[in-house]
């Protein structure tokens, strides 16, 4: 399984190209893609979302929230902020979901590098 971030999923849905888009396409084709819950929220928040895209998003499995998730996500964010690093709430929640399930994240969002360098997030 591989977790799909909002940025790479949007790029895929928009027909863009890139290594991350190819990874999303392959993960979806072979039913290996999984969404962190926050990614589902971000994707479905688009007011111009076409219904067939919404159907696709809803069909992709998602990582489950496990006990202590919210606390660990808060502590993860605090760890990065103490180091003077950027750590948005949504990114912290996505990173913690991936860390909890030990799955790599496909993303084009460079902010996740901080989570990889300091908190054990694996990036694809």
């Amino acid at each position: 399984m591989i977790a799909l971030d909002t940025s790479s999923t949007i790029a895929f849905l928009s027909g863009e190209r890139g290594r991350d888009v190819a990874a999303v396409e392959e993960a979806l084709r072979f039913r290996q893609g999984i969404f962190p819950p926050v990614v589902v929220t971000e994707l479905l928040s688009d007011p111009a979302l076409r219904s067939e895209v919404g159907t696709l998003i809803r069909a992709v499995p998602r990582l489950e929230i496990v006990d202590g998730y919210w606390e660990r996500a808060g502590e993860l964010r605090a760890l990065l902020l103490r180091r003077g690093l950027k750590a948005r709430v949504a990114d912290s929640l996505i990173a913690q979901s991936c860390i909890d399930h030990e799955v790599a994240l496909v993303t084009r969002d460079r902010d996740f590098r901080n989570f990889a360098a300091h908190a054990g997030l694996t990036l694809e």
Side-chain angles (χ1 to χ4, degrees):
M1 292 305 244
I2 190 158
L4 310 176
D5 182 44
T6 309
S7 60
S8 295
T9 303
I10 289 173
F12 166 75
L13 294 170
S14 300
E16 294 181 34
R17 294 181 181 221
R19 208 175 95 224
D20 63 319
V21 171
V24 169
E25 182 177 9
E26 184 174 320
L28 292 175
R29 181 177 333 129
F30 294 108
R31 301 192 192 285
Q32 293 299 308
I34 194 160
F35 285 136
V38 173
V39 170
V40 175
T41 301
E42 289 180 328
L43 292 170
L44 293 176
S45 294
D46 179 356
L49 188 72
R50 297 185 327 265
S51 64
E52 64 272 11
V53 174
T55 300
L56 169 70
I57 292 165
R58 288 177 180 88
V60 175
R62 45 193 80 105
L63 294 169
E64 297 208 12
I65 293 174
V66 294
D67 287 341
Y69 164 76
W70 300 104
E71 292 82 0
R72 284 189 305 281
E75 292 164 357
L76 171 62
R77 184 167 187 246
L79 170 78
L80 294 181
L81 293 174
R82 273 193 302 275
R83 294 179 178 187
L85 301 170
K86 187 176 193 176
R88 294 185 184 123
V89 172
D91 292 349
S92 300
L93 295 170
I94 292 166
Q96 189 61 57
S97 289
C98 295
I99 292 167
D100 281 352
H101 292 280
E102 299 179 348
V103 297
L105 178 67
V106 173
T107 185
R108 58 177 45 193
D109 184 344
R110 298 169 57 109
D111 293 341
F112 283 101
R113 291 181 302 170
N114 293 333
F115 295 96
H118 301 282
L121 174 65
T122 303
L123 297 176
E124 185 64 29

